[in-house]
Amino acid sequence: MGKGSGFGKTILFGEHFVVYGLPAMASAIGDFTEAIVEIEEGKGYELSDNRPEVPGYKKKKFDEQKISIKNVLTFMGVDLDKEKLKITLGGNLTCASGVGASAASCVALARAISDEFQMGWDDTRINESAYEGEKGYHGTPSGIDNTASTFGGLVYFVKNLHGGPNTMETIKLSKPVDMVIASSGMTANTSVVVADVREKKEENPKWFEEIVKEYKSVVKDGRHALEMMDLEKVGKLMNKNHELLQKITVSNEKLDKMVKIATDAGALGAKVTGTGRGGNINALTPGADLQDKVYNALKDAGFAAWKTKIGV
Ligand code: MEV
């Protein structure tokens, strides 16, 4: 029996912008997906997906998941015409758009395969396998989700648009920071949303370039503020990042409402995290009291919410 796990993630700065080679920052969260792989007699694979989910997520992603599993197995050289695998997914990460559920399951699966077949693959190879798996969900993923999911911690990531290795730096915080993540309950399709933003960018390059200019200073100042633990500033920059996500049309009324609930309850900043047009928001809430307050405000308004930490 082989076992493996992968962290969920939350993006602090730069979803969508990261696709175009701009820097982004994401942090693994404590919740994870776990995979167990067992070799059985026969061919093909059998999947038991026991991951918790926001209603409908797994059904909606099922076809993409099949491509993703095949991609990971092919990349790792597992031939399902010769082997039969029983794959069981579990863990405490609630599957929802925006929390890196697809990446976490790809990383967990790759680690479980490496374990079961005694391949001894290191994190770099696991990350590469998970990236192949992510293509089943995203089409053209930037790689930030699988990177945060594999390596953990807070990462500063720049996609290499020329196909070479991506830039990945781990940023150490002087102490972990509390956050709240909340789900809109709507499942987004990442490849559709990414393709739509790309179309808008291509139709109106000047408009997009202006937004990029603003984003560049958000991420530059955001990294500095995180390194300085200037959390008030980090929060303000998250709000600014949310405004830019509104401009590129990946927020919606429900997500804007959630962001307002979080900031009205005292969050230092809040924004869409991940694909958008559904999925999750994250809110910066240092300290147990503030975290509780924001968590309760979102729960009272009827949204599923989770308390987590970044920079662990
Ligand atoms: C999805 O978590 C983040 C996006 O930027 C897509 C990607 O980076 O591949 C929307």
Side-chain angles (χ1 to χ4, degrees), residues 12-24:
L12 290 175
F13 299 112
E15 46 280 278
H16 290 280
F17 298 106
V18 67
V19 169
Y20 307 105
L22 292 151

PDB file of all heavy atoms in Angstrom, residues 12-24:
ATOM      1  N   LEU A  12      -2.387  34.642  -2.162  1.00  0.00           N
ATOM      2  CA  LEU A  12      -2.452  35.964  -1.516  1.00  0.00           C
ATOM      3  C   LEU A  12      -2.428  37.074  -2.555  1.00  0.00           C
ATOM      4  O   LEU A  12      -3.103  38.083  -2.410  1.00  0.00           O
ATOM      5  CB  LEU A  12      -1.258  36.142  -0.581  1.00  0.00           C
ATOM      6  CG  LEU A  12      -1.292  35.273   0.667  1.00  0.00           C
ATOM      7  CD1 LEU A  12      -0.014  35.443   1.448  1.00  0.00           C
ATOM      8  CD2 LEU A  12      -2.483  35.658   1.520  1.00  0.00           C
ATOM      9  N   PHE A  13      -1.593  36.901  -3.555  1.00  0.00           N
ATOM     10  CA  PHE A  13      -1.481  37.889  -4.628  1.00  0.00           C
ATOM     11  C   PHE A  13      -1.268  37.176  -5.961  1.00  0.00           C
ATOM     12  O   PHE A  13      -0.433  36.281  -6.036  1.00  0.00           O
ATOM     13  CB  PHE A  13      -0.263  38.809  -4.394  1.00  0.00           C
ATOM     14  CG  PHE A  13      -0.333  39.609  -3.120  1.00  0.00           C
ATOM     15  CD1 PHE A  13       0.544  39.334  -2.082  1.00  0.00           C
ATOM     16  CD2 PHE A  13      -1.283  40.606  -2.949  1.00  0.00           C
ATOM     17  CE1 PHE A  13       0.488  40.052  -0.891  1.00  0.00           C
ATOM     18  CE2 PHE A  13      -1.353  41.329  -1.759  1.00  0.00           C
ATOM     19  CZ  PHE A  13      -0.470  41.054  -0.733  1.00  0.00           C
ATOM     20  N   GLY A  14      -2.051  37.548  -6.973  1.00  0.00           N
ATOM     21  CA  GLY A  14      -1.631  37.223  -8.328  1.00  0.00           C
ATOM     22  C   GLY A  14      -2.306  36.128  -9.108  1.00  0.00           C
ATOM     23  O   GLY A  14      -1.803  35.760 -10.178  1.00  0.00           O
ATOM     24  N   GLU A  15      -3.468  35.580  -8.630  1.00  0.00           N
ATOM     25  CA  GLU A  15      -4.155  34.630  -9.510  1.00  0.00           C
ATOM     26  C   GLU A  15      -4.448  35.329 -10.834  1.00  0.00           C
ATOM     27  O   GLU A  15      -4.630  36.546 -10.885  1.00  0.00           O
ATOM     28  CB  GLU A  15      -5.450  34.071  -8.882  1.00  0.00           C
ATOM     29  CG  GLU A  15      -6.372  35.045  -8.225  1.00  0.00           C
ATOM     30  CD  GLU A  15      -5.885  35.387  -6.834  1.00  0.00           C
ATOM     31  OE1 GLU A  15      -6.123  34.662  -5.880  1.00  0.00           O
ATOM     32  OE2 GLU A  15      -5.240  36.475  -6.739  1.00  0.00           O
ATOM     33  N   HIS A  16      -4.461  34.588 -11.878  1.00  0.00           N
ATOM     34  CA  HIS A  16      -4.609  35.035 -13.270  1.00  0.00           C
ATOM     35  C   HIS A  16      -3.370  35.790 -13.764  1.00  0.00           C
ATOM     36  O   HIS A  16      -2.847  35.443 -14.813  1.00  0.00           O
ATOM     37  CB  HIS A  16      -5.886  35.875 -13.487  1.00  0.00           C
ATOM     38  CG  HIS A  16      -7.114  35.021 -13.384  1.00  0.00           C
ATOM     39  ND1 HIS A  16      -7.552  34.222 -14.417  1.00  0.00           N
ATOM     40  CD2 HIS A  16      -7.969  34.790 -12.340  1.00  0.00           C
ATOM     41  CE1 HIS A  16      -8.624  33.547 -14.023  1.00  0.00           C
ATOM     42  NE2 HIS A  16      -8.898  33.865 -12.770  1.00  0.00           N
ATOM     43  N   PHE A  17      -2.869  36.775 -12.996  1.00  0.00           N
ATOM     44  CA  PHE A  17      -1.689  37.507 -13.474  1.00  0.00           C
ATOM     45  C   PHE A  17      -0.503  36.546 -13.617  1.00  0.00           C
ATOM     46  O   PHE A  17       0.343  36.692 -14.497  1.00  0.00           O
ATOM     47  CB  PHE A  17      -1.353  38.662 -12.519  1.00  0.00           C
ATOM     48  CG  PHE A  17      -2.476  39.673 -12.458  1.00  0.00           C
ATOM     49  CD1 PHE A  17      -3.312  39.771 -11.352  1.00  0.00           C
ATOM     50  CD2 PHE A  17      -2.721  40.502 -13.544  1.00  0.00           C
ATOM     51  CE1 PHE A  17      -4.365  40.672 -11.320  1.00  0.00           C
ATOM     52  CE2 PHE A  17      -3.775  41.408 -13.532  1.00  0.00           C
ATOM     53  CZ  PHE A  17      -4.600  41.494 -12.413  1.00  0.00           C
ATOM     54  N   VAL A  18      -0.460  35.533 -12.756  1.00  0.00           N
ATOM     55  CA  VAL A  18       0.629  34.556 -12.750  1.00  0.00           C
ATOM     56  C   VAL A  18       0.711  33.787 -14.071  1.00  0.00           C
ATOM     57  O   VAL A  18       1.789  33.387 -14.507  1.00  0.00           O
ATOM     58  CB  VAL A  18       0.463  33.595 -11.534  1.00  0.00           C
ATOM     59  CG1 VAL A  18      -0.757  32.703 -11.653  1.00  0.00           C
ATOM     60  CG2 VAL A  18       1.704  32.749 -11.299  1.00  0.00           C
ATOM     61  N   VAL A  19      -0.423  33.636 -14.729  1.00  0.00           N
ATOM     62  CA  VAL A  19      -0.470  32.913 -16.001  1.00  0.00           C
ATOM     63  C   VAL A  19       0.396  33.631 -17.052  1.00  0.00           C
ATOM     64  O   VAL A  19       0.940  33.009 -17.963  1.00  0.00           O
ATOM     65  CB  VAL A  19      -1.952  32.816 -16.465  1.00  0.00           C
ATOM     66  CG1 VAL A  19      -2.078  32.314 -17.887  1.00  0.00           C
ATOM     67  CG2 VAL A  19      -2.764  31.962 -15.497  1.00  0.00           C
ATOM     68  N   TYR A  20       0.524  34.957 -16.922  1.00  0.00           N
ATOM     69  CA  TYR A  20       1.255  35.759 -17.918  1.00  0.00           C
ATOM     70  C   TYR A  20       2.689  36.077 -17.478  1.00  0.00           C
ATOM     71  O   TYR A  20       3.284  37.041 -17.941  1.00  0.00           O
ATOM     72  CB  TYR A  20       0.470  37.053 -18.221  1.00  0.00           C
ATOM     73  CG  TYR A  20      -0.954  36.720 -18.594  1.00  0.00           C
ATOM     74  CD1 TYR A  20      -2.005  36.944 -17.701  1.00  0.00           C
ATOM     75  CD2 TYR A  20      -1.227  36.093 -19.806  1.00  0.00           C
ATOM     76  CE1 TYR A  20      -3.303  36.570 -18.017  1.00  0.00           C
ATOM     77  CE2 TYR A  20      -2.524  35.713 -20.128  1.00  0.00           C
ATOM     78  CZ  TYR A  20      -3.547  35.954 -19.234  1.00  0.00           C
ATOM     79  OH  TYR A  20      -4.826  35.563 -19.556  1.00  0.00           O
ATOM     80  N   GLY A  21       3.203  35.287 -16.538  1.00  0.00           N
ATOM     81  CA  GLY A  21       4.606  35.436 -16.151  1.00  0.00           C
ATOM     82  C   GLY A  21       4.849  36.498 -15.102  1.00  0.00           C
ATOM     83  O   GLY A  21       6.004  36.868 -14.842  1.00  0.00           O
ATOM     84  N   LEU A  22       3.782  37.005 -14.476  1.00  0.00           N
ATOM     85  CA  LEU A  22       3.979  37.987 -13.392  1.00  0.00           C
ATOM     86  C   LEU A  22       4.128  37.228 -12.075  1.00  0.00           C
ATOM     87  O   LEU A  22       3.583  36.140 -11.910  1.00  0.00           O
ATOM     88  CB  LEU A  22       2.774  38.935 -13.330  1.00  0.00           C
ATOM     89  CG  LEU A  22       2.705  39.827 -14.564  1.00  0.00           C
ATOM     90  CD1 LEU A  22       1.285  40.220 -14.893  1.00  0.00           C
ATOM     91  CD2 LEU A  22       3.577  41.053 -14.363  1.00  0.00           C
ATOM     92  N   PRO A  23       4.861  37.818 -11.107  1.00  0.00           N
ATOM     93  CA  PRO A  23       5.050  37.109  -9.840  1.00  0.00           C
ATOM     94  C   PRO A  23       3.737  36.974  -9.074  1.00  0.00           C
ATOM     95  O   PRO A  23       2.844  37.824  -9.207  1.00  0.00           O
ATOM     96  CB  PRO A  23       5.996  38.032  -9.052  1.00  0.00           C
ATOM     97  CG  PRO A  23       6.460  39.066  -9.994  1.00  0.00           C
ATOM     98  CD  PRO A  23       5.522  39.126 -11.146  1.00  0.00           C
ATOM     99  N   ALA A  24       3.627  35.912  -8.314  1.00  0.00           N
ATOM    100  CA  ALA A  24       2.446  35.712  -7.471  1.00  0.00           C
ATOM    101  C   ALA A  24       2.909  35.091  -6.156  1.00  0.00           C
ATOM    102  O   ALA A  24       4.022  34.557  -6.071  1.00  0.00           O
ATOM    103  CB  ALA A  24       1.449  34.803  -8.168  1.00  0.00           C
TER     104      ALA A  24
END
